[in-house]
Every structure is written in structure tokens, then in C-alpha cells.
Amino acid sequence: MNYSIVKEFMILGLTQKSELQGILFIIFLFIYLVAFVGNMLIVIAIIYNTALHTPMYILLLALAVMDIICTTSIIPKMLGTMLTSEKLISYGGCMTQLFFFTWSLGAEMVLFTTMAYDRYVAICFPLRYSTIMNHYSCVALLSIVMGIAVTNSWVHTGLILRLTFCGPNIIDHFFCEIPPLLALSCSPVRVNEVMVYVADITLAVGDFTLTCISYGFIIAAILRIRTTEGKKAFSTCSSHLIVVSLYYSPVIYTYIRPASSYTFERDKVVAALYTLVTPTLNPIVYSFRNKEMQAGIRKAFAFVKG
């Protein structure tokens, strides 16, 4: 049930300095286009190429879709507030943005762990890979990922909907995220904070730990392979770990603290890492360096032209 008195929120954005608005608009429009086009290329390439209908690429397809949802739920609205003096977002629009962002955030965290497990099985148990990671297990894993993500999003959005917002209505952020909304609540937020903390420990810390363990086994197996392919695989795993760390670390930092300790000027910069930077890097690190994906993109374009 919606107890809110506030019918719309004002989003302050990244900065109040008018001289920086034009520069930031160009930067974030570029970031959005790179992220959107890059992830759409992955989606199209995997859908149109049956050779890429394997668990590894299906998981990459899911990651690309989540990246598109994440950036599209945030950046277009942010760009609109930069272009005009209209910085308002309706209460319903804010809750919708919160739901889709929280959904994509939760899905990506569990997806990174699932992808690490897939690579672990492929490298450490190559002869049993097709048996362990068949299409049925891939569908099951994806169903679990989406089930966890949607449940997590419904819980947090539902708890926010129960809060009363009686003013002020100014969100000191560039989108509707849980921490700035909790700071505006006129009603107690203890339950919200506990659930955010639980989700952060289980989804962020838990998944990050499992991902690191998987990559630990992978790197140990690769180091035993003293070949050029082994070195390339080690380089790939290292870049994956860097991107994963860049994603999990700011998420853990943001959500593990009580609402009273938020410092929004710094937190906005931190939030940009997992909402804007990582979705842009994912296609480059996970897909575009892959020869099969490069061939798939070329084949997809040839299909479209034909």
C-alpha cells in the first residue's frame, strides 16, 4: 500500500554547476551509446548464430540484456534532466526506476558468479563440461538467477512503497536508488536497512566470494598449463576479475551502511562505477576480445545485409 504524501521527486543529478552540465551530458550520452550499442551487438550476434547457442554465450546474452536494462532505466532520464530545467520524476516513475535498477543489479551479481562457475567447469573439468553444463542446467541456472533477482527487487521496492514521504522531496542523486530514498523517509527505515544489509551480505559479499573462489581454481589450473593459450587464458581471467571487483566493491560499500552515514556527493561517484562504467566495460572485456563472438557479430551483420 502506498502511504506517500509526496507525488513527485526532484533529482539533483551529479552536479549543480551549470557550466559542467553540457560536458557531463556529452560524456554520459557517449557512455550510454557505447554501452547500449555494445550490448545490443552481443544480443544480436548470439541470437542470430546457432553456433553461439551454448551455455557460456547464453549467460553472456543474459548479462548484456541486464546491462541494457540497467543503463536504460537510469541514463535517458538523467540526460533529460541535464538538457532541461525539468528535474522532476513522478512517484510512480521513481518506483519503476528503482525496481528495474534493483532487478538488473541483483541479476548481474548472481550472473557474474554463474559465469565464473561455467568457466570453472570448462577449464577444470573439460571432459565433463558438456555433461555438467548442458542446456537444461543452463536454463535452470538462469531461472534461479532471475528468480533471485526479481524476488530481491520486489522485496526492496515493496518495502520502499510502505514508507511515508512527506517532504522534502529532493533526491541528492542522479537516479532513484535505495539510500537517498531512505534518507527522505518520514517513517522508520530500520526494516529497510536490515533487508538491504542482508541482501548486500548474501548477494554482493556472498557472490563476490564465490566468484573469487571459482577464479582462484581457474587461475591455479591455468598456471599448470605452460603454453601460449594458457597465458592468454590467464590474461582473460585477470581482466574478468578486475571488472568483477570494480562492480562488487562499490556495491558492497554503498549498501552495507545505515542511511544516516550516506555522503551523497561521494556516493554519486561510487554509484557511477556500477551503474555506468561496468555495463560499458562488460562487452569489451567479456565478448569483443573473443574470436567466436567477433565472428558471430560479422555473421549477424552479413545476415542483416542479406
Side-chain angles (χ1 to χ4, degrees), residues 62-84:
L63 182 67
V65 171
M66 288 299 107
D67 280 337
I68 291 170
I69 291 172
C70 179
T71 51
T72 303
S73 67
I74 295 169
I75 302 185
K77 180 63 180 177
M78 184 177 75
L79 293 175
T81 60
M82 286 180 178
L83 273 183
T84 65

Side-chain angles (χ1 to χ4, degrees), residues 56 59 111-126 129 133 208-227 229-241 244 286:
M56 172 184 167
L59 292 173
L111 266 173
F112 277 131
T113 305
T114 310
M115 290 164 65
Y117 172 72
D118 174 71
R119 291 300 83 207
Y120 161 72
V121 175
I123 292 171
C124 297
F125 303 98
Y129 176 75
M133 284 298 293
F208 186 40
T209 303
L210 290 173
T211 302
C212 288
I213 290 170
S214 295
Y215 276 113
F217 283 116
I218 292 168
I219 290 170
I222 289 169
L223 290 175
R224 292 195 290 268
I225 308 169
R226 300 183 182 279
T227 62
E229 286 300 316
K231 290 178 181 178
K232 285 174 66 178
F234 180 79
S235 173
T236 300
C237 283
S238 299
S239 60
H240 287 188
L241 264 178
V244 164
Y286 280 96

Side-chain angles (χ1 to χ4, degrees), residues 7-16 21 25 74-91 97 169-171 173-175:
K7 298 303 177 187
E8 58 186 11
F9 294 99
M10 178 180 286
I11 301 178
L12 291 184
L14 280 168
T15 180
Q16 293 298 292
Q21 295 290 347
F25 177 84
I74 295 169
I75 302 185
K77 180 63 180 177
M78 184 177 75
L79 293 175
T81 60
M82 286 180 178
L83 273 183
T84 65
S85 57
E86 182 65 42
K87 296 184 181 294
L88 297 176
I89 183 170
S90 68
Y91 179 86
Q97 188 181 64
N169 68 336
I170 299 171
I171 298 176
H173 211 309
F174 57 89
F175 70 104

Side-chain angles (χ1 to χ4, degrees), residues 89-199:
I89 183 170
S90 68
Y91 179 86
C94 186
M95 295 303 110
T96 302
Q97 188 181 64
L98 175 69
F99 175 81
F100 281 104
F101 166 72
T102 311
W103 173 35
S104 60
L105 182 73
E108 288 203 32
M109 285 190 284
V110 187
L111 266 173
F112 277 131
T113 305
T114 310
M115 290 164 65
Y117 172 72
D118 174 71
R119 291 300 83 207
Y120 161 72
V121 175
I123 292 171
C124 297
F125 303 98
L127 298 179
R128 296 170 57 193
Y129 176 75
S130 57
T131 305
I132 298 171
M133 284 298 293
N134 53 48
H135 280 83
Y136 295 107
S137 58
C138 182
V139 170
L141 284 170
L142 270 180
S143 300
I144 292 168
V145 168
M146 292 306 160
I148 291 171
V150 170
T151 302
N152 176 65
S153 186
W154 271 120
V155 167
H156 293 299
T157 307
L159 286 172
I160 293 286
L161 285 168
R162 289 175 59 84
L163 299 178
T164 301
F165 296 96
C166 49
N169 68 336
I170 299 171
I171 298 176
D172 192 3
H173 211 309
F174 57 89
F175 70 104
C176 291
E177 195 176 16
I178 295 172
L181 286 171
L182 294 186
L184 292 179
S185 174
C186 302
S187 50
V189 296
R190 183 61 182 166
V191 175
N192 298 73
E193 289 182 337
V194 169
M195 291 307 298
V196 166
Y197 185 81
V198 169

Side-chain angles (χ1 to χ4, degrees), residues 265-290:
E265 285 305 314
R266 183 174 66 233
D267 289 354
K268 283 188 276 190
V269 177
V270 173
L273 290 176
Y274 56 85
T275 58
L276 310 175
V277 176
T278 308
T280 308
L281 290 177
N282 282 343
I284 300 167
V285 173
Y286 280 96
S287 300
F288 293 158
R289 297 168 66 190
N290 184 305

